[in-house]
Amino acid sequence: MADGDMRAHKRKLGKGQRGTRLLRSILDPRAWLHLLKIVNYHNYMHVAPLRHITLGSDPGISPDAVFSNAERITIGNRVLIGSRCHLWAGPSTGRIIIGDDVLFGPEVMVTAASYDYNHGSPVTDQPMNEADIVIGNDVWLATRCIILPGARIGDGAIIAAGAIVKGEIPPMTIAAGSPARVVGERRIAGSA
């Protein structure tokens, strides 16, 4: 090392130091309390809501998918919901209706409600605007797309990764962008 070199280097721990660190973490009650919080969150955002969803046959739902107001969520047959997806029906009337054979990529957000932020402050004290979301059959919602209140997605449509849908997407189209707009058509091999 040259004279005056002030760069930092990562400190390497010996086996004994790593063992001590492991033992301290196992004995730390804060870690166990945090684990209880995680189990509680998983129960009230995934396990319990699944009992209230109207669920079709043969679903594939990731264990870390999150549901809110599940009594107003309807999921069709053979729907696959990827990791860390969030489906939030509105707090009072908003519904999410999903057709058959729909594929959710990871981290898709579907929300049937948003704050009416022009009625004062703070935003969280404001009323919510709710509108039903209807997703047709054979739809692919790619990674991290967001479906907003009132969206209608036609059968066979594809929503690109990161797209934000706030209106109507026609059947058999490909939509991308923010806000999502039609950028192409889906063509199925062998169909006229």
Side-chain angles (χ1 to χ4, degrees):
M1 179 166 29
D3 288 336
D5 189 354
M6 300 299 288
R7 291 181 291 174
H9 295 277
K10 185 176 176 182
R11 193 176 104 212
K12 295 185 181 193
L13 299 177
K15 285 184 181 181
Q17 291 171 314
R18 288 194 311 262
T20 301
R21 182 179 62 188
L22 173 64
L23 185 58
R24 282 186 180 159
S25 67
I26 290 171
L27 297 176
D28 188 344
R30 295 171 296 183
W32 295 103
L33 289 173
H34 188 69
L35 178 62
L36 289 175
K37 288 171 67 174
I38 291 170
V39 169
N40 180 48
Y41 175 80
H42 181 69
N43 184 57
Y44 76 79
M45 293 305 288
H46 181 83
V47 176
L50 280 176
R51 296 182 196 121
H52 300 286
I53 290 175
T54 302
L55 192 58
S57 66
D58 201 22
I61 299 174
S62 178
D64 58 356
V66 172
F67 305 96
S68 182
N69 302 311
E71 65 279 1
R72 289 190 308 284
I73 298 174
T74 301
I75 298 175
N77 300 315
R78 299 169 303 282
V79 172
L80 301 175
I81 298 178
S83 182
R84 296 180 307 279
C85 288
H86 290 72
L87 282 74
W88 295 351
S92 62
T93 62
R95 297 178 305 151
I96 297 172
I97 302 162
I98 302 166
D100 297 335
D101 302 302
V102 176
L103 172 61
F104 284 70
E107 300 180 3
V108 171
M109 170 66 156
V110 180
T111 179
S114 64
Y115 286 104
D116 188 354
Y117 51 83
N118 288 322
H119 277 85
S121 187
V123 170
T124 55
D125 287 346
Q126 304 317 305
M128 298 191 90
N129 294 321
E130 297 182 65
D132 294 349
I133 293 172
V134 179
I135 300 170
N137 298 319
D138 190 29
V139 170
W140 175 19
L141 303 173
T143 302
R144 292 187 178 153
C145 69
I146 300 171
I147 313 302
L148 296 174
R152 301 276 190 269
I153 301 174
D155 291 348
I158 297 173
I159 308 302
I164 300 176
V165 178
K166 54 188 266 188
E168 187 161 335
I169 303 298
M172 301 303 288
T173 59
I174 301 167
S178 174
R181 65 186 192 294
V182 173
V183 296
E185 292 183 5
R186 182 174 174 202
R187 293 181 185 85
I188 297 177
S191 64

